[in-house]
């Protein structure tokens, strides 16, 4: 079963969770002065419209018409009830997933890439620089840049650059330029932290260039709330009131935030972030001010972190290899409003195969963390004999991650990592 | 702009073009006796339900409920107006495409893989064998087999097996087994014809196994008519009466047939098949009885053919490397009801890049033949100053064909092939 909505039902305003947070947010601090950053501090990197969204307390923020025009190429995305998976698990739970894999880039990332490209274009910028882990974010920004006529420069974590050559080709097909990061150490597998440093340096050094971040920041999570907003409407169409639990995989937090934030005002709804055991930011990190990047160029953010020089192993879910987490998500976890769980990749790929062979779609390794958690929630409901309603974000397909499946299917994957 | 339909709007009957053909169909002949084949001749390879569909003259054939349940995982597919492409071309034409790439396997092929798996399962078969060129068909059958609990054995054209390792992984993810073909000549790049021979030999030798064909036969094209049937409804939603021209890429004919056959009764609608210049079956072949495979194991079919031992060069559109063409499509072309055009792959990839950078989606090389033809039709409309309506089938995405894009973008593709 599947619930679609016509293109004119794309949400016309983003949901701002800030007025609904259980605890107040601490401000980002300037990396040199350790004083709260000002809009002027951020102006070399971001357009003013995004800086305003970063700090706004307005409950809703309008989506510009030019952004809606592009989002409507694939949004609203379908909500699917995973009846075949439910049957295979023998669970009384009802499992729904929001299918973000239908975007041209194959993930939820274009939801923020499109408005970021739009606002930069509107303020006269002609070139964007960014980092990418698994390649999902870089693909999304290359796609959005093509549609708004911007140049796009992508610093790709070297581990993924080497593992996923097709991701580079995808970005090049949209006209993007891609180099492995760190640019100054070809022996390093890299990390999202080091790639952010490369991209920020690029943007800081050129007047025609701004930086675009694919996760972590408030405005990024704001743009992703279309996921949860649409899902709420579609659950109503499916005859559900509210889900018992909302699940999302969590690296920097944009996917988890996108599906979960619109449910923060609904106290009965549990919010569950799934992360890799090899990069267990929310489950084993500490909550403190830390840099967003390895080199210490970004503002200090109040968040769960493993330390900005943490170098996670080269697991296949490259999009989740981030030392920190979005301040908004960290706030929710610290206050107890959201929970987190960590999985080794063997358990994650086991869930991915189960999903592919029942529902038919092949999920990204990142997404498969949420599938693992949703399956475990469904099995817990079976154990408890309860008909719970589970919603998760199917954040991206795995069609450019098939080398990871090849490794798993042929016994070459480190299951415990 | 994009028109969606809810899952309960999947057509509940397939459209049979046979009563509407401008010329009568000659029967398939037995390869040994050269007499018309009987149902009993075909029974070792196909379930009786499909054999009946192969020869039926009923105007409509009901779609079983169990098939609808699976098709509804992704159908109805969207109809999209390519307004950004129109703008880039400066054409007064309105270009619509039916997006078949949203299926789990990424192409139109599951439209027939699902009913074929269903009917075989219903008649007690536990294993299917098949051939695949680019891998789209093998992927579709592996997917459908997983959902109906069948084993799936895929003989993959060696040129594609070597070029596209991820296609193999995709099939294995769904539990399929994949080997390169021809199995007895590891130096040959193979062809669809030789892979069909391997798959037919496999099925003929085992009682638990039937053969499944991804194109050419009447029942395959019948199953694909959901594409054109949905498109007709969606064009009405878009305020169009009938398109001026319907375009589909054409290898064995299932994609072209799927979008075009429902328009055969509408005489004002031109039907245009786009094929590769390196395998120009409809534009340079002869109409005669020929075998469907290289070894001469299949019935003789009345069709346009380049000769069953024709070995096309290893172009990237592996799904179009077939020496023959569907008898139904051949009938339409021979009688003048349908037209055909052939393109070299350089012109095809040029169109693919234009599409990716305007509409955002990256098309399969096969699909890009239709895009090339649709663009040329739109440019002709511009030349003539006419507001024509163009419909084409976006038969599959190119996310597992990115090595071909890599070659094109970096000057390694033979443009004239």
């Amino acid at each position: 079963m599947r619930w679609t909505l016509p293109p004119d039902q794309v949400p016309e305003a983003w949901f701002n969770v800030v007025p609904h947070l259980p605890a107040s947010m601490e401000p980002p601090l300037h990396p040199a002065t350790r004083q709260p950053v000002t809009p002027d501090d951020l102006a070399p990197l971001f357009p003013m419209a995004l800086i305003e969204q970063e700090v706004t307390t307005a409950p809703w923020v309008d989506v510009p018409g030019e952004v809606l025009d592009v989002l409507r190429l694939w949004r609203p995305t379908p909500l699917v009830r995973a009846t075949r998976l439910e049957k295979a698990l023998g669970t009384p739970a009802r499992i729904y997933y929001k299918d973000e894999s239908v975007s041209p880039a194959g993930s939820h990332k274009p939801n923020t890439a499109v408005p970021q490209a739009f606002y930069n274009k509107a303020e006269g910028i002609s070139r964007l620089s960014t980092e990418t882990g698994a390649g999902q974010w870089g693909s999304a920004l290359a796609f959005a840049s093509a549609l708004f006529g911007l140049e796009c420069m992508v610093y790709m974590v070297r581990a993924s650059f080497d593992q996923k050559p097709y991701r580079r080709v995808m970005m090049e097909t949209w006209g993007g330029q891609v180099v492995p990061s760190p640019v100054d150490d070809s022996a390093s597998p890299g990390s999202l932290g080091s790639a952010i440093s490369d991209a920020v340096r690029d943007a800081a050094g050129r007047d025609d260039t701004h930086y675009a971040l694919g996760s972590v920041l408030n405005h990024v999570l704001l743009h992703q709330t279309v996921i949860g907003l649409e899902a709420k409407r579609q659950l109503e169409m499916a005859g559900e009131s509210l889900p018992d639990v909302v699940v999302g995989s969590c690296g920097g937090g944009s996917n988890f935030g996108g599906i979960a934030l619109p449910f923060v005002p609904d106290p009965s709804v549990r919010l569950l972030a799934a992360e890799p055991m090899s990069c267990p930011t929310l489950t084993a990190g500490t909550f403190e001010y830390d840099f967003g990047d390895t080199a210490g160029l970004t503002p200090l953010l109040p968040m769960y972190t493993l330390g900005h020089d943490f170098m996670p192993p080269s697991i296949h879910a490259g999009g989740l290899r981030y030392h920190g987490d979005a301040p908004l998500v960290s706030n929710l976890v610290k206050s107890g409003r959201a929970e987190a769980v960590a999985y080794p990749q063997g358990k994650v790929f086991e869930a991915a195969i189960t999903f592919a062979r029942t529902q038919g779609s092949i999920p990204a390794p990142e997404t498969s963390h949420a599938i693992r958690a949703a399956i475990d929630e469904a099995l817990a409901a079976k154990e408890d004999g309860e008909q719970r309603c589970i919603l998760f974000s199917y954040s991206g397909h795995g069609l450019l991650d098939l080398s990871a499946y090849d490794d798993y299917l042929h016994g070459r994957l480190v299951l415990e990592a």
Side-chain angles (χ1 to χ4, degrees), chain A:
Chain A
M1 281 177 286
R2 195 163 50 91
W3 291 267
T4 56
L5 288 167
D8 63 7
Q9 296 292 306
V10 172
E12 296 184 6
W14 290 301
F15 172 79
N16 188 4
V17 76
V18 170
H20 305 276
L21 288 177
S24 63
M25 291 279 282
E26 299 299 313
L29 303 182
H30 192 284
T33 66
R34 305 232 163 191
Q35 295 300 306
V37 292
T38 65
D40 284 351
D41 292 333
L42 298 172
L45 293 183
F46 300 106
M48 202 46 69
L50 292 178
I51 294 170
E52 284 166 12
Q53 290 178 3
E54 190 62 23
V55 296
T56 185
T57 56
W60 296 91
V61 177
D62 284 348
V63 185
E66 295 90 331
V67 172
L68 287 171
D69 280 347
V70 178
L71 294 182
R72 286 175 178 145
L73 284 173
W74 73 94
R75 299 204 74 86
T77 61
L79 180 79
V80 187
R81 181 159 167 200
T83 45
R84 287 163 191 273
L85 175 62
E86 291 169 15
K87 199 173 163 195
L89 299 174
T91 178
R94 302 180 301 286
I95 307 174
Y96 295 87
Y97 62 93
K98 181 70 172 154
D99 187 0
E100 292 296 306
S101 76
V102 298
S103 78
S107 80
H108 68 294
K109 292 290 188 186
N111 296 331
T112 183
V114 171
Q116 290 195 46
F118 165 76
Y119 288 120
N120 276 290
K121 175 84 173 183
E123 295 191 18
I125 286 294
S126 63
R127 183 173 173 274
L128 294 174
S129 75
T130 197
E131 77 292 337
T132 198
Q136 298 275 24
W137 167 242
S139 302
L141 196 68
F143 153 73
S145 295
L147 268 62
F148 286 100
L150 297 168
E151 283 183 68
C152 184
M153 177 72 195
V154 182
Y155 296 89
M156 186 171 188
V157 174
R158 182 171 274 105
S160 294
F161 187 91
D162 293 339
Q163 277 170 6
K164 304 186 176 181
Y166 286 5
R167 275 281 170 201
R168 167 185 58 75
V169 182
M170 192 182 201
M171 294 184 254
E172 290 175 347
T173 297
W174 283 311
Q177 190 182 342
V178 190
V179 294
S181 169
V183 291
D184 56 2
D185 180 3
S186 63
S188 166
S191 69
L192 277 171
S194 66
I196 293 173
S197 297
D198 281 333
V200 168
R201 266 192 215 101
D202 178 312
R206 290 177 60 151
D207 284 347
D208 64 348
T209 301
H210 269 168
Y211 168 66
L213 187 63
S215 194
V216 179
L217 297 180
N218 298 353
H219 69 269
V220 178
L221 274 65
L222 179 79
H223 300 156
Q224 292 292 357
T225 58
V226 292
I227 305 173
L229 292 171
E230 287 177 7
K232 275 193 152 179
R233 285 193 215 166
Q234 289 164 312
L235 282 173
E236 275 177 38
M237 292 167 68
E240 302 283 354
S241 48
L242 282 170
D244 292 289
V245 59
V246 174
V247 180
S249 59
C250 197
S254 80
N255 166 59
F256 176 69
I259 188 111
L261 296 185
F263 292 95
V264 167
D266 305 301
S268 70
V269 181
R270 288 173 53 218
L271 309 175
L272 177 59
E275 63 181 12
M277 197 164 272
S278 59
C279 192
T281 315
L282 295 173
T283 52
T286 54
F287 185 91
E288 60 188 20
Y289 269 105
D290 196 5
F291 296 107
D293 68 326
T294 307
L297 302 178
T298 72
L300 290 152
L301 300 172
M303 61 181 178
Y304 280 97
T305 176
L306 297 162
H308 61 272
D309 53 0
F310 177 78
M311 182 63 68
S314 300
I315 58 164
H316 277 292
L320 305 183
R321 295 174 74 246
Y322 186 60
H323 68 273
D325 221 305
L328 284 172
V329 171
S330 297
N331 180 297
L332 292 171
V333 171
K334 182 157 192 293
S335 67
R337 179 65 189 89
E339 309 157 40
V341 62
Y343 292 108
Q345 63 180 351
K347 297 292 287 177
V348 167
F349 276 92
E350 180 189 83
I353 295 285
T354 299
F355 189 84
R357 292 184 184 174
T358 52
Q359 292 300 123
S361 300
I362 299 178
E366 292 82 359
T367 304
S368 304
H369 287 73
I371 296 174
R372 174 78 264 167
I375 287 176
D376 286 357
E377 288 288 326
L379 293 175
K382 180 183 180 180
E383 187 80 17
D384 299 343
E386 292 192 11
Q387 298 189 344
R388 292 178 198 147
C389 175
I390 299 166
L391 168 68
F392 74 89
S393 171
Y394 188 81
S395 52
H397 63 64
L399 301 184
L400 294 170
D401 304 285
L402 287 168
S403 64
Y405 281 87
D406 202 17
D407 288 348
Y408 178 73
L409 290 168
H410 296 97
R412 296 190 301 266
L413 197 82
V414 182
L415 302 181
E416 302 75 25

